[in-house]
Amino acid sequence: MTLQVQHFDGAIGAEILGADLSQTFDEADQKAMIDAWNTHSVLVFRDQTVTPEQFLRFSRYFGQLEVHVLEQYLHREHPEILVVSNILEDGKNIGIPDAGRYWHTDLSYLAEPSRGSILYAIEIPEEQGKTLGNTIWASTAAAYEALPVSQRTLIDGLKAEYSLGNRFTKLAEDGTKHIEMTEEQKAKTPSVVHPVVRTHPVTGRRGILVNEGHTTHIQDLPAKESQLLLEKLWAQCTKPEFTYRHEWRVGDVVMWDNTLTQHLAICDYALPQRRLLHRTTITGDRPY
Ligand code: OGA
Ligand code: MN
């Protein structure tokens, strides 16, 4: 393949031209993809058609794959694929209907959060020619680097608690109908402690890890101070100049590096407008 990396104007993201994800990548192509992923954090591939097997083969070039704890939303034949969808079958959701309602980093509530994730768009809602259900990614590295040195020094030494339950608490507070986790799922996801700022394992770049979806509080600070600092850091990460907004088309594959990004799903559609994506999730290491 002759791959071309065309980076976007802003702080984050690139489109990869010349890639056919249904085919195998030789070692040079795999390395080019991995380098682009580490450098640009979000990679967009347009006009792809892949079977689940081909999607999994492509995903494995980047690492081992997770099986998500919300097992009711896993692809029936391929548990490494998480179905993201608002579609109902027999009155039941075939996939996770409310992924990404809050700015978050995938699996930051685990001791070893995921290194990256990949979404493949199969059905995308639209209204009068306008694409709905966009996803926005933010560069937490660009956001961190734009802070004054005194602020960076302050947050460099802090740790925070992260929990999957936090997301469900927020959905309940916002009055959004959501599933309840089983006792077993709760037991598998106790809250964890990670630094407020993390380091990229390959590039050494640093970025803000605390995120609205999963962070409950910063350790060793009074509750109010913790909340004020979190809100300030979240607002910093999601400033438009640090973000890329993706308007999905059927056949898009978007992969991202969870180390230095957060993302948000825009929920501006509802049935009968259908949305269906397949997600794979790459395992990662403990943040430092
Ligand atoms: C995810 C996610 C956002 C979306 O799958 O990790 O946050 O727009 N999805 O579906
Ligand atoms: Mn996500």
Side-chain angles (χ1 to χ4, degrees), residues 76-90:
R76 288 210 191 93
E77 286 110 65
H78 303 283
E80 299 103 328
I81 293 178
L82 175 71
V83 179
V84 174
S85 184
N86 67 337
I87 299 171
L88 301 173
E89 267 171 24
D90 301 326

Side-chain angles (χ1 to χ4, degrees), residues 99-100 104 106 256 263 279:
H104 68 287
D106 292 334
W256 63 97
H263 56 282
R279 181 180 113 184

